[in-house]
Amino acid sequence: AYTKEVIESSFGYCTIAKMNDEEVRVLSSLLYEAEMSQDDFTVRLLADYPNIDLLIITGGGQGCVIRTRSEHYKVSAKMMLVKDSVGAGDAFCAAFLNTYLRTRDARKSARIGNMVGGFVVSESGAIPIYPEKFRRKIEILSAG
């Protein structure tokens, strides 16, 4: 379980925060005692936690939103037929961070994260086998 104190402490240490659109509602209620819009919440979070450089909010088939102190944009995702959503968020995070740590390009990292998360939901099970062609495509697209 998580508490307001644990969340506040965690945000106090992180530089990159990723959450999904549903978690925005839960966290805004927990931290600010009101369910806030995504925009209002992310602006307030960045103001209250100056150590956070990058916020990522995933929205399933809608893609994700990236917010920094100077930028705010959406990165679309390809709609996929969902077989199993378990593991999609973790796959997004792994692909995003793998690319971002090499390139420092949040937009490119989000595109790769969306692709990998989309692939995971289109398969059964949290850890599907990635076809060689898909792996090569990701490697090429995520090259620094």
Side-chain angles (χ1 to χ4, degrees):
Y2 52 87
T3 64
K4 181 177 181 179
E5 294 74 27
V6 168
I7 299 300
E8 288 173 330
S9 176
S10 298
F11 279 141
Y13 286 106
C14 80
T15 57
I16 299 173
K18 182 268 180 201
M19 62 201 75
N20 65 40
D21 48 5
E22 187 174 316
E23 291 166 333
V24 167
R25 291 190 292 278
V26 172
L27 291 172
S28 65
S29 294
L30 183 68
L31 294 175
Y32 302 117
E33 298 174 3
E35 193 173 297
M36 301 168 75
S37 72
Q38 194 176 100
D39 283 345
D40 290 344
F41 177 70
T42 57
V43 167
R44 179 129 183 225
L45 201 63
L46 287 174
D48 290 348
Y49 297 93
N51 50 292
I52 298 176
D53 299 318
L54 176 63
L55 284 173
I56 306 137
I57 304 187
T58 56
Q62 302 301 312
C64 63
V65 171
I66 304 291
R67 186 180 285 273
T68 67
R69 293 189 195 314
S70 60
E71 295 184 292
H72 177 222
Y73 52 88
K74 182 173 181 162
V75 179
S76 297
K78 180 180 175 186
M79 291 297 288
M80 304 296 285
L81 178 62
V82 177
K83 287 186 181 175
D84 187 350
S85 64
V86 174
D90 293 333
F92 173 93
C93 285
F96 180 94
L97 287 171
N98 181 46
T99 305
Y100 187 75
L101 292 173
R102 288 183 289 112
T103 67
R104 296 293 181 197
D105 183 335
R107 195 178 301 265
K108 175 189 275 192
S109 303
R111 281 195 306 268
I112 301 299
N114 286 341
M115 288 174 66
V116 175
F119 177 79
V120 169
V121 301
S122 73
E123 299 293 315
S124 294
I127 308 173
I129 303 297
Y130 295 94
E132 183 62 32
K133 183 177 178 181
F134 182 78
R135 290 189 1 235
R136 277 196 311 272
K137 181 178 181 179
I138 294 301
E139 287 173 19
I140 291 166
L141 291 173
S142 65

